[in-house]
Amino acid sequence: MEVPPFPRPESPKAALALQRALAKRVVLSGSLEGKRLLAALDASHKRGKPLVAVALLYHLEKGPLFVGQARVPEEALFPYVPGLLSFREAPAYLEALKTLPEAPEVLLVDGQGIAHPRGLGIASHLGVHLDLPSVGVAKSLLFGRPEGPLPQEAGSAVRLLAPDGRPLGYAYRSRTGVKPLYVSPGHRVGLEEALAFVRRLPTRFRLPEPLRLAHIEAGRALAALD
DNA sequence: GCGACAG
DNA sequence: ATCTTGTCGC
């Protein structure tokens, strides 16, 4: 698939400016109802070793189809700064996506979509960069607060609101009793449509299967490094 | 100034 | 993200 070069900011300062510019291009409308081919993105890293990124091609009816992967030397990584995660991991994801035999219709990313201080979490950033629909599924909160208590029942969700009251996504209970996931639209998808999409992903445990499998693959690939 | 802070 | 053992609970 076509992958434009990903700019590497020379400083966190420049990264912030770039985010504010790109955030203006995020499109918060669109349905994912007809989409069946997605790429789940997750990464694993351990100090002293390269970061391993996995792009797992997954078909909603056929299941996992292919595991794409890429490694980036630790020295080449942008530092981890809350709010600037995409500058650290996106380059690796883009390389992993290049190894896929087919272009996905949607990106499912481990991280925030627009539920971000400047409206450009890694899912939104990748979506805008590739002009592809994308959804962010994070395991913890970065920005915004749940509108109210989240019921324990599997499938329940409550809106995630920005300090100014603007809806950013949802706190979502994927399975009874598990900790919530934070779902927010990345690009070219509406708030409710993003949640609807995640809701129909097969989910055996806390994480939707595509992301869980990508996570497992990234972990074993990292452990297999010498 | 203080607290929060994806992976 | 990873560092880390046992432990509580379905």
Side-chain angles (χ1 to χ4, degrees):
Chain A
M1 64 184 291
E2 289 302 303
V3 178
F6 192 82
R8 154 86 184 209
E10 61 293 337
S11 69
K13 192 70 171 179
L16 295 183
L18 183 50
Q19 286 189 324
R20 284 189 263 261
L22 293 175
K24 297 176 182 174
R25 304 193 183 189
V26 173
V27 173
L28 292 180
S29 65
S31 170
L32 268 28
E33 229 175 289
K35 319 295 185 185
R36 300 185 175 183
L37 190 61
L38 65 100
L41 274 31
D42 187 47
S44 189
H45 174 67
K46 182 160 52 176
R47 46 184 185 50
K49 287 189 173 186
L51 177 145
V52 175
V54 163
L56 186 143
L57 193 61
Y58 190 100
H59 189 284
L60 261 41
E61 279 99 35
K62 304 173 184 175
L65 302 178
F66 188 91
V67 179
Q69 141 181 186
R71 287 172 285 289
V72 174
E74 189 169 55
E75 317 76 57
L77 295 171
F78 189 84
Y80 171 69
V81 178
L84 300 182
L85 178 66
S86 58
F87 295 102
R88 181 180 179 79
E89 301 188 343
Y93 286 143
L94 294 175
E95 288 306 308
L97 285 168
K98 287 180 181 175
T99 73
L100 298 182
E102 190 177 0
E105 301 175 291
V106 193
L107 298 181
L108 185 66
V109 191
D110 180 15
Q112 316 290 347
I114 63 167
H116 175 281
R118 290 165 293 285
L120 196 83
I122 189 167
S124 296
H125 199 157
L126 284 167
V128 170
H129 189 76
L130 297 171
D131 190 30
L132 268 182
S134 63
V135 175
V137 175
K139 300 182 296 303
S140 66
L141 209 45
L142 169 68
F143 185 69
R145 288 305 181 232
E147 184 169 34
L150 178 64
Q152 290 298 319
E153 307 88 77
S156 62
V158 297
R159 289 195 305 172
L160 204 58
L161 305 178
D164 66 6
R166 187 165 50 84
L168 304 171
Y170 300 84
Y172 169 62
R173 190 86 68 185
S174 58
R175 301 287 286 178
T176 301
V178 305
K179 292 171 61 63
L181 289 179
Y182 300 90
V183 179
S184 60
H187 182 53
R188 291 171 54 175
V189 62
L191 278 283
E192 301 157 324
E193 290 87 347
L195 176 63
F197 181 69
V198 173
R199 272 181 164 147
R200 57 190 185 75
L201 293 176
T203 307
R204 300 168 57 186
F205 301 104
R206 184 191 180 208
L207 290 176
E209 282 301 287
L211 276 180
R212 190 179 75 90
L213 295 177
H215 183 73
I216 291 174
E217 287 305 316
R220 66 175 39 161
L222 178 64
L225 293 177
D226 300 71

PDB file of all heavy atoms in Angstrom, chain A residues 148-177:
ATOM      1  N   GLY A 148     -20.069   9.286  33.303  1.00  0.00           N
ATOM      2  CA  GLY A 148     -20.677   8.752  34.515  1.00  0.00           C
ATOM      3  C   GLY A 148     -20.131   7.369  34.767  1.00  0.00           C
ATOM      4  O   GLY A 148     -19.179   6.957  34.114  1.00  0.00           O
ATOM      5  N   PRO A 149     -20.714   6.662  35.744  1.00  0.00           N
ATOM      6  CA  PRO A 149     -20.258   5.311  36.055  1.00  0.00           C
ATOM      7  C   PRO A 149     -20.478   4.350  34.888  1.00  0.00           C
ATOM      8  O   PRO A 149     -21.489   4.434  34.176  1.00  0.00           O
ATOM      9  CB  PRO A 149     -21.086   4.925  37.276  1.00  0.00           C
ATOM     10  CG  PRO A 149     -22.018   6.028  37.541  1.00  0.00           C
ATOM     11  CD  PRO A 149     -21.815   7.124  36.579  1.00  0.00           C
ATOM     12  N   LEU A 150     -19.534   3.442  34.706  1.00  0.00           N
ATOM     13  CA  LEU A 150     -19.640   2.457  33.634  1.00  0.00           C
ATOM     14  C   LEU A 150     -20.159   1.148  34.216  1.00  0.00           C
ATOM     15  O   LEU A 150     -19.525   0.540  35.069  1.00  0.00           O
ATOM     16  CB  LEU A 150     -18.257   2.234  33.003  1.00  0.00           C
ATOM     17  CG  LEU A 150     -18.167   1.191  31.892  1.00  0.00           C
ATOM     18  CD1 LEU A 150     -19.002   1.624  30.690  1.00  0.00           C
ATOM     19  CD2 LEU A 150     -16.717   1.000  31.488  1.00  0.00           C
ATOM     20  N   PRO A 151     -21.331   0.689  33.764  1.00  0.00           N
ATOM     21  CA  PRO A 151     -21.904  -0.572  34.246  1.00  0.00           C
ATOM     22  C   PRO A 151     -20.932  -1.744  34.066  1.00  0.00           C
ATOM     23  O   PRO A 151     -20.081  -1.709  33.178  1.00  0.00           O
ATOM     24  CB  PRO A 151     -23.148  -0.729  33.379  1.00  0.00           C
ATOM     25  CG  PRO A 151     -23.540   0.676  33.081  1.00  0.00           C
ATOM     26  CD  PRO A 151     -22.231   1.360  32.825  1.00  0.00           C
ATOM     27  N   GLN A 152     -21.074  -2.760  34.904  1.00  0.00           N
ATOM     28  CA  GLN A 152     -20.196  -3.929  34.828  1.00  0.00           C
ATOM     29  C   GLN A 152     -20.489  -4.859  33.659  1.00  0.00           C
ATOM     30  O   GLN A 152     -19.625  -5.641  33.238  1.00  0.00           O
ATOM     31  CB  GLN A 152     -20.307  -4.734  36.129  1.00  0.00           C
ATOM     32  CG  GLN A 152     -19.691  -4.060  37.351  1.00  0.00           C
ATOM     33  CD  GLN A 152     -18.194  -3.824  37.194  1.00  0.00           C
ATOM     34  OE1 GLN A 152     -17.477  -4.684  36.689  1.00  0.00           O
ATOM     35  NE2 GLN A 152     -17.733  -2.650  37.620  1.00  0.00           N
ATOM     36  N   GLU A 153     -21.683  -4.795  33.126  1.00  0.00           N
ATOM     37  CA  GLU A 153     -22.064  -5.702  32.042  1.00  0.00           C
ATOM     38  C   GLU A 153     -21.245  -5.514  30.762  1.00  0.00           C
ATOM     39  O   GLU A 153     -20.951  -4.400  30.352  1.00  0.00           O
ATOM     40  CB  GLU A 153     -23.546  -5.523  31.687  1.00  0.00           C
ATOM     41  CG  GLU A 153     -24.498  -5.637  32.866  1.00  0.00           C
ATOM     42  CD  GLU A 153     -24.695  -4.297  33.556  1.00  0.00           C
ATOM     43  OE1 GLU A 153     -25.418  -3.462  33.036  1.00  0.00           O
ATOM     44  OE2 GLU A 153     -24.087  -4.115  34.642  1.00  0.00           O
ATOM     45  N   ALA A 154     -20.928  -6.659  30.152  1.00  0.00           N
ATOM     46  CA  ALA A 154     -20.188  -6.631  28.895  1.00  0.00           C
ATOM     47  C   ALA A 154     -20.970  -5.849  27.851  1.00  0.00           C
ATOM     48  O   ALA A 154     -22.182  -5.990  27.737  1.00  0.00           O
ATOM     49  CB  ALA A 154     -19.956  -8.059  28.424  1.00  0.00           C
ATOM     50  N   GLY A 155     -20.278  -5.015  27.104  1.00  0.00           N
ATOM     51  CA  GLY A 155     -20.920  -4.233  26.057  1.00  0.00           C
ATOM     52  C   GLY A 155     -21.370  -2.852  26.463  1.00  0.00           C
ATOM     53  O   GLY A 155     -21.696  -2.029  25.613  1.00  0.00           O
ATOM     54  N   SER A 156     -21.374  -2.574  27.773  1.00  0.00           N
ATOM     55  CA  SER A 156     -21.811  -1.254  28.215  1.00  0.00           C
ATOM     56  C   SER A 156     -20.766  -0.183  27.881  1.00  0.00           C
ATOM     57  O   SER A 156     -19.582  -0.471  27.749  1.00  0.00           O
ATOM     58  CB  SER A 156     -22.084  -1.269  29.717  1.00  0.00           C
ATOM     59  OG  SER A 156     -20.918  -1.578  30.429  1.00  0.00           O
ATOM     60  N   ALA A 157     -21.255   1.044  27.742  1.00  0.00           N
ATOM     61  CA  ALA A 157     -20.358   2.155  27.404  1.00  0.00           C
ATOM     62  C   ALA A 157     -20.919   3.476  27.902  1.00  0.00           C
ATOM     63  O   ALA A 157     -22.130   3.640  28.009  1.00  0.00           O
ATOM     64  CB  ALA A 157     -20.159   2.201  25.888  1.00  0.00           C
ATOM     65  N   VAL A 158     -20.034   4.384  28.233  1.00  0.00           N
ATOM     66  CA  VAL A 158     -20.450   5.724  28.650  1.00  0.00           C
ATOM     67  C   VAL A 158     -19.547   6.686  27.871  1.00  0.00           C
ATOM     68  O   VAL A 158     -18.386   6.366  27.583  1.00  0.00           O
ATOM     69  CB  VAL A 158     -20.265   5.959  30.167  1.00  0.00           C
ATOM     70  CG1 VAL A 158     -21.147   5.017  30.955  1.00  0.00           C
ATOM     71  CG2 VAL A 158     -18.819   5.809  30.561  1.00  0.00           C
ATOM     72  N   ARG A 159     -20.091   7.832  27.518  1.00  0.00           N
ATOM     73  CA  ARG A 159     -19.302   8.781  26.737  1.00  0.00           C
ATOM     74  C   ARG A 159     -18.097   9.323  27.504  1.00  0.00           C
ATOM     75  O   ARG A 159     -18.103   9.449  28.730  1.00  0.00           O
ATOM     76  CB  ARG A 159     -20.175   9.956  26.307  1.00  0.00           C
ATOM     77  CG  ARG A 159     -21.210   9.588  25.246  1.00  0.00           C
ATOM     78  CD  ARG A 159     -21.774  10.837  24.617  1.00  0.00           C
ATOM     79  NE  ARG A 159     -22.330  11.732  25.648  1.00  0.00           N
ATOM     80  CZ  ARG A 159     -22.755  12.965  25.398  1.00  0.00           C
ATOM     81  NH1 ARG A 159     -22.670  13.453  24.168  1.00  0.00           N
ATOM     82  NH2 ARG A 159     -23.266  13.694  26.364  1.00  0.00           N
ATOM     83  N   LEU A 160     -17.092   9.650  26.718  1.00  0.00           N
ATOM     84  CA  LEU A 160     -15.879  10.232  27.262  1.00  0.00           C
ATOM     85  C   LEU A 160     -15.971  11.710  26.863  1.00  0.00           C
ATOM     86  O   LEU A 160     -16.193  12.030  25.701  1.00  0.00           O
ATOM     87  CB  LEU A 160     -14.679   9.569  26.564  1.00  0.00           C
ATOM     88  CG  LEU A 160     -13.333   9.561  27.269  1.00  0.00           C
ATOM     89  CD1 LEU A 160     -13.478   8.876  28.613  1.00  0.00           C
ATOM     90  CD2 LEU A 160     -12.343   8.795  26.403  1.00  0.00           C
ATOM     91  N   LEU A 161     -15.875  12.587  27.863  1.00  0.00           N
ATOM     92  CA  LEU A 161     -15.994  14.016  27.572  1.00  0.00           C
ATOM     93  C   LEU A 161     -14.731  14.817  27.842  1.00  0.00           C
ATOM     94  O   LEU A 161     -14.010  14.569  28.798  1.00  0.00           O
ATOM     95  CB  LEU A 161     -17.127  14.604  28.409  1.00  0.00           C
ATOM     96  CG  LEU A 161     -18.512  13.961  28.313  1.00  0.00           C
ATOM     97  CD1 LEU A 161     -19.474  14.679  29.265  1.00  0.00           C
ATOM     98  CD2 LEU A 161     -19.016  14.029  26.873  1.00  0.00           C
ATOM     99  N   ALA A 162     -14.491  15.801  26.985  1.00  0.00           N
ATOM    100  CA  ALA A 162     -13.329  16.676  27.142  1.00  0.00           C
ATOM    101  C   ALA A 162     -13.706  17.654  28.248  1.00  0.00           C
ATOM    102  O   ALA A 162     -14.883  17.764  28.613  1.00  0.00           O
ATOM    103  CB  ALA A 162     -13.066  17.420  25.836  1.00  0.00           C
ATOM    104  N   PRO A 163     -12.732  18.376  28.798  1.00  0.00           N
ATOM    105  CA  PRO A 163     -13.018  19.348  29.861  1.00  0.00           C
ATOM    106  C   PRO A 163     -14.107  20.343  29.446  1.00  0.00           C
ATOM    107  O   PRO A 163     -14.895  20.796  30.270  1.00  0.00           O
ATOM    108  CB  PRO A 163     -11.663  20.027  30.074  1.00  0.00           C
ATOM    109  CG  PRO A 163     -10.699  18.904  29.807  1.00  0.00           C
ATOM    110  CD  PRO A 163     -11.288  18.257  28.570  1.00  0.00           C
ATOM    111  N   ASP A 164     -14.156  20.669  28.163  1.00  0.00           N
ATOM    112  CA  ASP A 164     -15.153  21.635  27.685  1.00  0.00           C
ATOM    113  C   ASP A 164     -16.501  20.990  27.369  1.00  0.00           C
ATOM    114  O   ASP A 164     -17.409  21.651  26.883  1.00  0.00           O
ATOM    115  CB  ASP A 164     -14.613  22.376  26.449  1.00  0.00           C
ATOM    116  CG  ASP A 164     -14.431  21.442  25.252  1.00  0.00           C
ATOM    117  OD1 ASP A 164     -14.820  20.248  25.331  1.00  0.00           O
ATOM    118  OD2 ASP A 164     -13.886  21.904  24.226  1.00  0.00           O
ATOM    119  N   GLY A 165     -16.609  19.681  27.634  1.00  0.00           N
ATOM    120  CA  GLY A 165     -17.872  19.008  27.397  1.00  0.00           C
ATOM    121  C   GLY A 165     -18.019  18.322  26.053  1.00  0.00           C
ATOM    122  O   GLY A 165     -18.996  17.617  25.808  1.00  0.00           O
ATOM    123  N   ARG A 166     -17.067  18.511  25.185  1.00  0.00           N
ATOM    124  CA  ARG A 166     -17.131  17.897  23.848  1.00  0.00           C
ATOM    125  C   ARG A 166     -16.922  16.386  23.961  1.00  0.00           C
ATOM    126  O   ARG A 166     -15.998  15.929  24.638  1.00  0.00           O
ATOM    127  CB  ARG A 166     -16.048  18.514  22.962  1.00  0.00           C
ATOM    128  CG  ARG A 166     -16.079  18.127  21.520  1.00  0.00           C
ATOM    129  CD  ARG A 166     -15.189  19.092  20.708  1.00  0.00           C
ATOM    130  NE  ARG A 166     -13.869  19.222  21.312  1.00  0.00           N
ATOM    131  CZ  ARG A 166     -12.885  18.354  21.086  1.00  0.00           C
ATOM    132  NH1 ARG A 166     -13.080  17.344  20.292  1.00  0.00           N
ATOM    133  NH2 ARG A 166     -11.717  18.529  21.658  1.00  0.00           N
ATOM    134  N   PRO A 167     -17.772  15.566  23.304  1.00  0.00           N
ATOM    135  CA  PRO A 167     -17.611  14.112  23.338  1.00  0.00           C
ATOM    136  C   PRO A 167     -16.391  13.659  22.544  1.00  0.00           C
ATOM    137  O   PRO A 167     -16.161  14.115  21.422  1.00  0.00           O
ATOM    138  CB  PRO A 167     -18.922  13.601  22.760  1.00  0.00           C
ATOM    139  CG  PRO A 167     -19.346  14.701  21.840  1.00  0.00           C
ATOM    140  CD  PRO A 167     -18.998  15.961  22.589  1.00  0.00           C
ATOM    141  N   LEU A 168     -15.600  12.772  23.150  1.00  0.00           N
ATOM    142  CA  LEU A 168     -14.362  12.305  22.505  1.00  0.00           C
ATOM    143  C   LEU A 168     -14.378  10.830  22.126  1.00  0.00           C
ATOM    144  O   LEU A 168     -13.573  10.389  21.304  1.00  0.00           O
ATOM    145  CB  LEU A 168     -13.194  12.532  23.466  1.00  0.00           C
ATOM    146  CG  LEU A 168     -12.978  13.954  23.977  1.00  0.00           C
ATOM    147  CD1 LEU A 168     -11.931  13.936  25.087  1.00  0.00           C
ATOM    148  CD2 LEU A 168     -12.530  14.840  22.825  1.00  0.00           C
ATOM    149  N   GLY A 169     -15.308  10.091  22.752  1.00  0.00           N
ATOM    150  CA  GLY A 169     -15.300   8.660  22.495  1.00  0.00           C
ATOM    151  C   GLY A 169     -16.052   7.978  23.618  1.00  0.00           C
ATOM    152  O   GLY A 169     -16.975   8.578  24.177  1.00  0.00           O
ATOM    153  N   TYR A 170     -15.643   6.786  23.985  1.00  0.00           N
ATOM    154  CA  TYR A 170     -16.330   6.051  25.050  1.00  0.00           C
ATOM    155  C   TYR A 170     -15.416   5.233  25.951  1.00  0.00           C
ATOM    156  O   TYR A 170     -14.357   4.786  25.546  1.00  0.00           O
ATOM    157  CB  TYR A 170     -17.319   5.054  24.431  1.00  0.00           C
ATOM    158  CG  TYR A 170     -18.389   5.671  23.568  1.00  0.00           C
ATOM    159  CD1 TYR A 170     -18.123   5.962  22.228  1.00  0.00           C
ATOM    160  CD2 TYR A 170     -19.646   5.970  24.075  1.00  0.00           C
ATOM    161  CE1 TYR A 170     -19.091   6.536  21.406  1.00  0.00           C
ATOM    162  CE2 TYR A 170     -20.629   6.541  23.273  1.00  0.00           C
ATOM    163  CZ  TYR A 170     -20.346   6.827  21.934  1.00  0.00           C
ATOM    164  OH  TYR A 170     -21.300   7.388  21.132  1.00  0.00           O
ATOM    165  N   ALA A 171     -15.887   5.069  27.178  1.00  0.00           N
ATOM    166  CA  ALA A 171     -15.233   4.147  28.105  1.00  0.00           C
ATOM    167  C   ALA A 171     -16.090   2.937  27.788  1.00  0.00           C
ATOM    168  O   ALA A 171     -17.321   3.033  27.786  1.00  0.00           O
ATOM    169  CB  ALA A 171     -15.433   4.588  29.545  1.00  0.00           C
ATOM    170  N   TYR A 172     -15.479   1.803  27.499  1.00  0.00           N
ATOM    171  CA  TYR A 172     -16.208   0.643  27.039  1.00  0.00           C
ATOM    172  C   TYR A 172     -15.836  -0.638  27.789  1.00  0.00           C
ATOM    173  O   TYR A 172     -14.670  -0.956  27.958  1.00  0.00           O
ATOM    174  CB  TYR A 172     -15.927   0.475  25.548  1.00  0.00           C
ATOM    175  CG  TYR A 172     -16.387  -0.807  24.932  1.00  0.00           C
ATOM    176  CD1 TYR A 172     -17.739  -1.154  24.901  1.00  0.00           C
ATOM    177  CD2 TYR A 172     -15.460  -1.670  24.339  1.00  0.00           C
ATOM    178  CE1 TYR A 172     -18.153  -2.340  24.311  1.00  0.00           C
ATOM    179  CE2 TYR A 172     -15.865  -2.859  23.734  1.00  0.00           C
ATOM    180  CZ  TYR A 172     -17.214  -3.191  23.729  1.00  0.00           C
ATOM    181  OH  TYR A 172     -17.621  -4.364  23.136  1.00  0.00           O
ATOM    182  N   ARG A 173     -16.856  -1.344  28.252  1.00  0.00           N
ATOM    183  CA  ARG A 173     -16.634  -2.594  28.996  1.00  0.00           C
ATOM    184  C   ARG A 173     -16.763  -3.748  28.008  1.00  0.00           C
ATOM    185  O   ARG A 173     -17.877  -4.167  27.675  1.00  0.00           O
ATOM    186  CB  ARG A 173     -17.689  -2.738  30.102  1.00  0.00           C
ATOM    187  CG  ARG A 173     -17.390  -3.871  31.075  1.00  0.00           C
ATOM    188  CD  ARG A 173     -16.485  -3.466  32.188  1.00  0.00           C
ATOM    189  NE  ARG A 173     -17.133  -2.509  33.086  1.00  0.00           N
ATOM    190  CZ  ARG A 173     -16.499  -1.926  34.110  1.00  0.00           C
ATOM    191  NH1 ARG A 173     -15.238  -2.215  34.363  1.00  0.00           N
ATOM    192  NH2 ARG A 173     -17.141  -1.062  34.868  1.00  0.00           N
ATOM    193  N   SER A 174     -15.658  -4.248  27.532  1.00  0.00           N
ATOM    194  CA  SER A 174     -15.668  -5.321  26.532  1.00  0.00           C
ATOM    195  C   SER A 174     -16.135  -6.669  27.060  1.00  0.00           C
ATOM    196  O   SER A 174     -16.709  -7.464  26.309  1.00  0.00           O
ATOM    197  CB  SER A 174     -14.275  -5.459  25.917  1.00  0.00           C
ATOM    198  OG  SER A 174     -13.325  -5.727  26.931  1.00  0.00           O
ATOM    199  N   ARG A 175     -15.877  -6.930  28.363  1.00  0.00           N
ATOM    200  CA  ARG A 175     -16.279  -8.188  28.982  1.00  0.00           C
ATOM    201  C   ARG A 175     -16.675  -7.889  30.425  1.00  0.00           C
ATOM    202  O   ARG A 175     -16.129  -6.976  31.044  1.00  0.00           O
ATOM    203  CB  ARG A 175     -15.127  -9.208  28.982  1.00  0.00           C
ATOM    204  CG  ARG A 175     -14.586  -9.564  27.609  1.00  0.00           C
ATOM    205  CD  ARG A 175     -15.519 -10.433  26.812  1.00  0.00           C
ATOM    206  NE  ARG A 175     -15.525 -11.800  27.328  1.00  0.00           N
ATOM    207  CZ  ARG A 175     -16.282 -12.771  26.840  1.00  0.00           C
ATOM    208  NH1 ARG A 175     -17.090 -12.518  25.821  1.00  0.00           N
ATOM    209  NH2 ARG A 175     -16.236 -13.971  27.347  1.00  0.00           N
ATOM    210  N   THR A 176     -17.590  -8.666  30.960  1.00  0.00           N
ATOM    211  CA  THR A 176     -18.031  -8.441  32.340  1.00  0.00           C
ATOM    212  C   THR A 176     -16.854  -8.522  33.314  1.00  0.00           C
ATOM    213  O   THR A 176     -16.065  -9.460  33.256  1.00  0.00           O
ATOM    214  CB  THR A 176     -19.080  -9.494  32.740  1.00  0.00           C
ATOM    215  OG1 THR A 176     -20.185  -9.403  31.839  1.00  0.00           O
ATOM    216  CG2 THR A 176     -19.559  -9.249  34.160  1.00  0.00           C
ATOM    217  N   GLY A 177     -16.784  -7.511  34.167  1.00  0.00           N
ATOM    218  CA  GLY A 177     -15.741  -7.530  35.178  1.00  0.00           C
ATOM    219  C   GLY A 177     -14.361  -7.026  34.810  1.00  0.00           C
ATOM    220  O   GLY A 177     -13.554  -6.775  35.695  1.00  0.00           O
TER     221      GLY A 177
END
